Amino acid sequence: GIQSIEDSSFQNLTNLLILYLENEKITSLNRNMFNGIDKVERLSLKGNIFDKIENETFIYLKNLKELSFDNGQIKNVYSNAVSYLKSLNKLSFYNNKINLLKSGVFENLTRLTSLNLELNLIKVIEKNSMPGNDNILIVLNLKKNKLEFIKEYHFANLYYLQELYLSSNQISSIE
């Protein structure tokens, strides 16, 4: 499987709309990997082995609507890793190893309608980690994590939320 991708490897594919790099052995991501393919609307990186998403990794993917990291090894998502993806509708981190949602990580994703964080190790949700003002988030899946409590600020500003999944956590109180 693919282990690494050189900078600007896809730059001549200027009309590319969908890119699937699933079940490979990609060990790391960097911001220049996706240089030149700014029309991409759907990117799937399911089943890879990189363990973090650093700031500005997807800076060139301004039109991205769907992004998936399912069945991966991700432990850390930096605060500005995906925050500038203003067109993003669906984001999925199903079955990874994330244990903390850092402040600001999803705050600017105001077009996001679905956020799947099921089957991670999330124990802490910092204030202002969820989409902020003017968001349209409809589905938030936090099933099968390590959450022990829910605070009011965890879901502040999620006015359009229709589906909230909290099953199979260790929640003892909702405050």
Side-chain angles (χ1 to χ4, degrees):
I2 300 169
Q3 294 179 352
S4 65
I5 298 172
E6 298 297 318
D7 290 354
S8 304
S9 292
F10 303 108
Q11 71 181 1
N12 294 327
L13 303 174
T14 55
N15 290 309
L16 191 66
L17 294 175
I18 298 170
L19 178 58
Y20 281 18
L21 294 165
E22 297 180 346
N23 303 313
E24 298 294 340
K25 300 202 179 339
I26 299 171
T27 57
S28 65
L29 302 175
N30 73 68
R31 67 179 285 176
N32 293 316
M33 287 172 65
F34 304 109
N35 186 16
I37 55 170
D38 59 346
K39 290 183 181 175
V40 169
E41 295 181 356
R42 190 180 314 153
L43 174 61
S44 179
L45 292 161
K46 294 177 181 179
N48 279 285
I49 58 174
F50 52 87
D51 65 355
K52 65 184 175 218
I53 302 173
E54 296 185 20
N55 290 336
E56 300 184 348
T57 301
F58 305 103
I59 193 81
Y60 297 108
L61 301 178
K62 302 280 187 211
N63 293 306
L64 201 59
K65 291 180 175 35
E66 295 182 21
L67 181 56
S68 176
F69 301 102
D70 295 355
N71 303 314
Q73 302 296 316
I74 299 169
K75 295 176 187 169
N76 286 320
V77 182
Y78 289 71
S79 289
N80 285 323
V82 294
S83 64
Y84 46 81
L85 295 174
K86 305 289 187 200
S87 298
L88 203 61
N89 300 126
K90 292 183 179 181
L91 178 57
S92 183
F93 288 95
Y94 174 84
N95 191 21
N96 274 276
K97 297 178 182 344
I98 300 167
N99 62 13
L100 165 69
L101 294 183
K102 296 179 179 172
S103 181
V105 70
F106 304 127
E107 187 176 19
N108 295 320
L109 301 180
T110 55
R111 292 184 182 261
L112 198 64
T113 58
S114 176
L115 177 56
N116 187 355
L117 295 159
E118 181 178 348
L119 201 55
N120 274 277
L121 303 171
I122 300 168
K123 190 169 186 170
V124 176
I125 300 174
E126 290 185 355
K127 194 171 187 176
N128 298 322
S129 60
M130 290 296 154
N133 291 331
D134 301 321
N135 77 81
I136 56 171
L137 190 67
I138 295 171
V139 179
L140 176 57
N141 188 346
L142 288 161
K143 283 193 292 190
K144 299 180 184 172
N145 277 284
K146 304 287 183 197
L147 292 170
E148 296 177 354
F149 57 87
I150 299 295
K151 298 265 189 200
E152 182 181 344
Y153 64 76
H154 287 153
F155 308 123
N157 301 320
L158 299 183
Y159 305 116
Y160 295 97
L161 195 66
Q162 295 176 14
E163 299 177 33
L164 175 60
Y165 300 94
L166 296 171
S167 305
S168 300
N169 275 282
Q170 300 163 359
I171 300 170
S172 59
S173 69
I174 299 178
E175 304 167 14

